[in-house]
Short mmCIF file of all heavy atoms in Angstrom, two decimals:
data_model
loop_
_atom_site.label_atom_id
_atom_site.label_comp_id
_atom_site.label_asym_id
_atom_site.label_seq_id
_atom_site.Cartn_x
_atom_site.Cartn_y
_atom_site.Cartn_z
N ARG A 1 -3.19 -3.99 -14.33
CA ARG A 1 -2.16 -3.32 -15.12
C ARG A 1 -0.77 -3.78 -14.72
O ARG A 1 0.15 -3.80 -15.53
CB ARG A 1 -2.26 -1.80 -14.93
CG ARG A 1 -3.49 -1.17 -15.52
CD ARG A 1 -3.47 -1.23 -17.03
NE ARG A 1 -4.63 -0.53 -17.60
CZ ARG A 1 -4.95 -0.57 -18.88
NH1 ARG A 1 -4.23 -1.29 -19.72
NH2 ARG A 1 -6.01 0.08 -19.31
N GLN A 2 -0.60 -4.12 -13.43
CA GLN A 2 0.67 -4.60 -12.92
C GLN A 2 0.46 -5.85 -12.11
O GLN A 2 -0.66 -6.08 -11.59
CB GLN A 2 1.31 -3.53 -12.03
CG GLN A 2 1.74 -2.27 -12.76
CD GLN A 2 2.26 -1.24 -11.79
OE1 GLN A 2 1.75 -0.13 -11.69
NE2 GLN A 2 3.33 -1.58 -11.07
N PRO A 3 1.49 -6.68 -11.95
CA PRO A 3 1.37 -7.84 -11.05
C PRO A 3 1.06 -7.36 -9.64
O PRO A 3 1.49 -6.29 -9.21
CB PRO A 3 2.76 -8.49 -11.13
CG PRO A 3 3.31 -8.03 -12.43
CD PRO A 3 2.80 -6.64 -12.64
N GLY A 4 0.30 -8.19 -8.90
CA GLY A 4 -0.17 -7.78 -7.59
C GLY A 4 0.80 -8.02 -6.45
O GLY A 4 1.97 -8.36 -6.66
N THR A 5 0.26 -7.89 -5.25
CA THR A 5 1.08 -7.82 -4.05
C THR A 5 1.16 -9.12 -3.26
O THR A 5 1.78 -9.16 -2.20
CB THR A 5 0.54 -6.72 -3.12
OG1 THR A 5 -0.82 -7.02 -2.75
CG2 THR A 5 0.59 -5.37 -3.80
N TYR A 6 0.55 -10.19 -3.76
CA TYR A 6 0.68 -11.49 -3.09
C TYR A 6 2.03 -12.09 -3.48
O TYR A 6 2.14 -13.18 -4.05
CB TYR A 6 -0.42 -12.46 -3.51
CG TYR A 6 -1.83 -12.09 -3.15
CD1 TYR A 6 -2.90 -12.90 -3.56
CD2 TYR A 6 -2.14 -10.96 -2.41
CE1 TYR A 6 -4.21 -12.61 -3.25
CE2 TYR A 6 -3.46 -10.64 -2.09
CZ TYR A 6 -4.49 -11.47 -2.52
OH TYR A 6 -5.80 -11.16 -2.22
N ALA A 7 3.09 -11.37 -3.19
CA ALA A 7 4.43 -11.75 -3.65
C ALA A 7 5.48 -11.08 -2.78
O ALA A 7 5.18 -10.13 -2.04
CB ALA A 7 4.62 -11.34 -5.11
N GLU A 8 6.72 -11.55 -2.89
CA GLU A 8 7.80 -10.98 -2.07
C GLU A 8 8.22 -9.58 -2.53
O GLU A 8 8.67 -8.79 -1.69
CB GLU A 8 9.02 -11.90 -2.13
CG GLU A 8 8.86 -13.21 -1.38
CD GLU A 8 10.13 -14.01 -1.40
OE1 GLU A 8 10.45 -14.60 -2.46
OE2 GLU A 8 10.84 -14.02 -0.37
N TYR A 9 8.05 -9.28 -3.81
CA TYR A 9 8.47 -7.97 -4.32
C TYR A 9 7.43 -7.45 -5.31
O TYR A 9 6.74 -8.22 -5.99
CB TYR A 9 9.82 -8.07 -5.05
CG TYR A 9 10.98 -8.42 -4.14
CD1 TYR A 9 11.31 -9.76 -3.92
CD2 TYR A 9 11.71 -7.43 -3.51
CE1 TYR A 9 12.36 -10.10 -3.07
CE2 TYR A 9 12.77 -7.77 -2.66
CZ TYR A 9 13.08 -9.10 -2.45
OH TYR A 9 14.11 -9.41 -1.62
N ILE A 10 7.34 -6.13 -5.40
CA ILE A 10 6.49 -5.49 -6.39
C ILE A 10 7.23 -4.32 -7.00
O ILE A 10 8.15 -3.75 -6.39
CB ILE A 10 5.17 -4.97 -5.77
CG1 ILE A 10 5.45 -4.01 -4.58
CG2 ILE A 10 4.26 -6.10 -5.37
CD1 ILE A 10 4.26 -3.24 -4.10
N ALA A 11 6.84 -3.94 -8.22
CA ALA A 11 7.25 -2.68 -8.82
C ALA A 11 6.05 -1.76 -8.74
O ALA A 11 4.93 -2.16 -9.09
CB ALA A 11 7.67 -2.89 -10.27
N VAL A 12 6.25 -0.54 -8.27
CA VAL A 12 5.12 0.36 -8.03
C VAL A 12 5.50 1.79 -8.35
O VAL A 12 6.61 2.24 -8.06
CB VAL A 12 4.63 0.23 -6.56
CG1 VAL A 12 5.74 0.52 -5.57
CG2 VAL A 12 3.43 1.10 -6.30
N SER A 13 4.58 2.53 -8.94
CA SER A 13 4.80 3.93 -9.30
C SER A 13 5.01 4.80 -8.07
O SER A 13 4.42 4.56 -7.01
CB SER A 13 3.60 4.46 -10.09
OG SER A 13 3.64 5.87 -10.20
N SER A 14 5.83 5.83 -8.22
CA SER A 14 6.04 6.77 -7.13
C SER A 14 4.77 7.51 -6.77
O SER A 14 4.67 8.07 -5.67
CB SER A 14 7.14 7.78 -7.52
OG SER A 14 6.76 8.49 -8.69
N LEU A 15 3.77 7.53 -7.64
CA LEU A 15 2.50 8.21 -7.37
C LEU A 15 1.55 7.34 -6.56
O LEU A 15 0.50 7.81 -6.13
CB LEU A 15 1.81 8.60 -8.69
CG LEU A 15 2.59 9.52 -9.62
CD1 LEU A 15 1.80 9.75 -10.90
CD2 LEU A 15 2.89 10.84 -8.93
N SER A 16 1.93 6.09 -6.33
CA SER A 16 1.00 5.11 -5.74
C SER A 16 1.35 4.71 -4.33
O SER A 16 0.71 3.81 -3.78
CB SER A 16 0.94 3.86 -6.62
OG SER A 16 0.51 4.17 -7.92
N LEU A 17 2.35 5.34 -3.72
CA LEU A 17 2.72 4.94 -2.37
C LEU A 17 3.01 6.15 -1.50
O LEU A 17 3.10 7.28 -1.97
CB LEU A 17 3.91 3.96 -2.38
CG LEU A 17 5.18 4.32 -3.18
CD1 LEU A 17 5.92 5.49 -2.58
CD2 LEU A 17 6.07 3.10 -3.24
N ALA A 18 3.16 5.89 -0.22
CA ALA A 18 3.47 6.93 0.77
C ALA A 18 4.28 6.30 1.89
O ALA A 18 4.38 5.07 1.99
CB ALA A 18 2.18 7.52 1.33
N ARG A 19 4.88 7.13 2.70
CA ARG A 19 5.58 6.59 3.88
C ARG A 19 4.60 5.90 4.79
O ARG A 19 3.49 6.39 5.04
CB ARG A 19 6.25 7.74 4.66
CG ARG A 19 7.43 8.38 3.96
CD ARG A 19 8.05 9.46 4.84
NE ARG A 19 9.12 10.15 4.15
CZ ARG A 19 10.40 9.74 4.13
NH1 ARG A 19 10.73 8.65 4.80
NH2 ARG A 19 11.31 10.42 3.46
N LYS A 20 5.00 4.76 5.30
CA LYS A 20 4.16 4.04 6.26
C LYS A 20 4.06 4.83 7.55
O LYS A 20 5.08 5.29 8.07
CB LYS A 20 4.74 2.65 6.54
CG LYS A 20 3.88 1.82 7.52
CD LYS A 20 4.53 0.50 7.84
CE LYS A 20 5.68 0.63 8.81
NZ LYS A 20 5.25 1.06 10.17
N PRO A 21 2.86 5.02 8.09
CA PRO A 21 2.76 5.66 9.40
C PRO A 21 3.59 4.91 10.44
O PRO A 21 3.48 3.69 10.55
CB PRO A 21 1.26 5.59 9.71
CG PRO A 21 0.60 5.48 8.37
CD PRO A 21 1.55 4.67 7.53
N SER A 22 4.40 5.63 11.18
CA SER A 22 5.29 4.97 12.14
C SER A 22 4.53 4.28 13.26
O SER A 22 5.05 3.36 13.89
CB SER A 22 6.27 6.00 12.73
OG SER A 22 5.57 7.04 13.38
N SER A 23 3.29 4.73 13.51
CA SER A 23 2.51 4.14 14.60
C SER A 23 1.86 2.81 14.21
O SER A 23 1.30 2.12 15.08
CB SER A 23 1.41 5.12 15.04
OG SER A 23 0.55 5.41 13.95
N LEU A 24 1.93 2.46 12.93
CA LEU A 24 1.30 1.22 12.48
C LEU A 24 2.35 0.15 12.19
O LEU A 24 3.43 0.44 11.68
CB LEU A 24 0.50 1.45 11.20
CG LEU A 24 -0.66 2.44 11.23
CD1 LEU A 24 -1.42 2.39 9.90
CD2 LEU A 24 -1.59 2.19 12.39
N SER A 25 2.03 -1.09 12.49
CA SER A 25 2.85 -2.21 12.05
C SER A 25 2.64 -2.41 10.56
O SER A 25 1.71 -1.85 9.95
CB SER A 25 2.44 -3.48 12.80
OG SER A 25 1.12 -3.88 12.41
N HIS A 26 3.48 -3.22 9.93
CA HIS A 26 3.28 -3.51 8.51
C HIS A 26 1.94 -4.21 8.27
O HIS A 26 1.28 -3.94 7.26
CB HIS A 26 4.42 -4.36 7.97
CG HIS A 26 5.68 -3.59 7.70
ND1 HIS A 26 5.77 -2.65 6.69
CD2 HIS A 26 6.89 -3.59 8.31
CE1 HIS A 26 6.98 -2.12 6.68
NE2 HIS A 26 7.69 -2.68 7.66
N VAL A 27 1.55 -5.09 9.18
CA VAL A 27 0.27 -5.78 9.04
C VAL A 27 -0.87 -4.78 9.08
O VAL A 27 -1.79 -4.82 8.24
CB VAL A 27 0.11 -6.85 10.13
CG1 VAL A 27 -1.35 -7.33 10.22
CG2 VAL A 27 1.02 -8.04 9.86
N GLU A 28 -0.85 -3.86 10.02
CA GLU A 28 -1.91 -2.85 10.09
C GLU A 28 -1.90 -1.95 8.86
O GLU A 28 -2.96 -1.67 8.28
CB GLU A 28 -1.72 -2.00 11.35
CG GLU A 28 -1.99 -2.76 12.63
CD GLU A 28 -1.56 -1.97 13.86
OE1 GLU A 28 -0.51 -1.26 13.81
OE2 GLU A 28 -2.25 -2.05 14.90
N ALA A 29 -0.72 -1.53 8.44
CA ALA A 29 -0.62 -0.63 7.30
C ALA A 29 -1.14 -1.28 6.02
O ALA A 29 -1.77 -0.62 5.19
CB ALA A 29 0.82 -0.18 7.10
N ALA A 30 -0.91 -2.57 5.86
CA ALA A 30 -1.36 -3.27 4.66
C ALA A 30 -2.88 -3.33 4.57
O ALA A 30 -3.43 -3.55 3.49
CB ALA A 30 -0.78 -4.68 4.62
N GLY A 31 -3.55 -3.12 5.69
CA GLY A 31 -5.01 -3.12 5.69
C GLY A 31 -5.63 -1.79 5.32
O GLY A 31 -6.86 -1.67 5.22
N VAL A 32 -4.80 -0.79 5.06
CA VAL A 32 -5.32 0.57 4.87
C VAL A 32 -5.59 0.95 3.42
O VAL A 32 -6.71 1.41 3.11
CB VAL A 32 -4.35 1.61 5.51
CG1 VAL A 32 -4.78 3.03 5.15
CG2 VAL A 32 -4.28 1.43 7.01
N PRO A 33 -4.65 0.85 2.48
CA PRO A 33 -4.72 1.65 1.25
C PRO A 33 -6.00 1.55 0.43
O PRO A 33 -6.71 2.56 0.24
CB PRO A 33 -3.50 1.17 0.46
CG PRO A 33 -2.53 0.75 1.52
CD PRO A 33 -3.38 0.09 2.56
N LEU A 34 -6.33 0.39 -0.11
CA LEU A 34 -7.50 0.32 -0.99
C LEU A 34 -8.78 0.68 -0.25
O LEU A 34 -9.61 1.44 -0.77
CB LEU A 34 -7.60 -1.07 -1.62
CG LEU A 34 -8.71 -1.24 -2.67
CD1 LEU A 34 -8.28 -2.20 -3.77
CD2 LEU A 34 -10.02 -1.75 -2.06
N ALA A 35 -8.97 0.14 0.94
CA ALA A 35 -10.21 0.39 1.68
C ALA A 35 -10.32 1.84 2.08
O ALA A 35 -11.37 2.47 1.94
CB ALA A 35 -10.27 -0.51 2.91
N ALA A 36 -9.24 2.41 2.61
CA ALA A 36 -9.29 3.80 3.07
C ALA A 36 -9.42 4.77 1.90
O ALA A 36 -10.16 5.76 1.99
CB ALA A 36 -8.05 4.12 3.89
N LEU A 37 -8.71 4.51 0.81
CA LEU A 37 -8.83 5.39 -0.36
C LEU A 37 -10.23 5.31 -0.97
O LEU A 37 -10.77 6.31 -1.44
CB LEU A 37 -7.78 5.02 -1.40
CG LEU A 37 -6.34 5.43 -1.08
CD1 LEU A 37 -5.37 4.79 -2.07
CD2 LEU A 37 -6.18 6.95 -1.08
N THR A 38 -10.83 4.12 -0.96
CA THR A 38 -12.21 3.99 -1.45
C THR A 38 -13.16 4.78 -0.56
O THR A 38 -14.01 5.53 -1.06
CB THR A 38 -12.63 2.51 -1.49
OG1 THR A 38 -11.74 1.78 -2.34
CG2 THR A 38 -14.04 2.36 -2.01
N ALA A 39 -13.03 4.60 0.74
CA ALA A 39 -13.91 5.31 1.68
C ALA A 39 -13.71 6.82 1.56
O ALA A 39 -14.69 7.58 1.56
CB ALA A 39 -13.63 4.85 3.09
N TRP A 40 -12.47 7.26 1.46
CA TRP A 40 -12.19 8.70 1.33
C TRP A 40 -12.82 9.26 0.05
O TRP A 40 -13.45 10.31 0.05
CB TRP A 40 -10.69 8.92 1.31
CG TRP A 40 -10.28 10.37 1.25
CD1 TRP A 40 -10.15 11.16 0.13
CD2 TRP A 40 -9.97 11.22 2.37
NE1 TRP A 40 -9.77 12.43 0.48
CE2 TRP A 40 -9.65 12.49 1.84
CE3 TRP A 40 -9.92 11.01 3.74
CZ2 TRP A 40 -9.29 13.57 2.66
CZ3 TRP A 40 -9.55 12.07 4.56
CH2 TRP A 40 -9.24 13.32 4.02
N GLY A 41 -12.66 8.52 -1.04
CA GLY A 41 -13.22 8.98 -2.31
C GLY A 41 -14.73 9.11 -2.25
O GLY A 41 -15.31 10.11 -2.73
#
């Protein structure tokens, strides 16, 4: 539906993001959303 994240910038809905956990690096945080949301669901 939207261009993906293999890019320097993205446009993303306010319903689709959250504050990054402060304990995680950006690399660690990028490994979370799709996999964790799938597992949670």
Side-chain angles (χ1 to χ4, degrees):
R1 292 292 184 189
Q2 293 176 240
T5 60
Y6 296 177
E8 288 184 285
Y9 294 90
I10 55 169
V12 58
S13 167
S14 59
L15 301 177
S16 300
L17 51 68
R19 290 182 184 273
K20 182 184 76 67
S22 60
S23 60
L24 299 187
S25 67
H26 282 292
V27 166
E28 291 169 323
V32 173
L34 185 146
L37 287 170
T38 302
W40 183 274

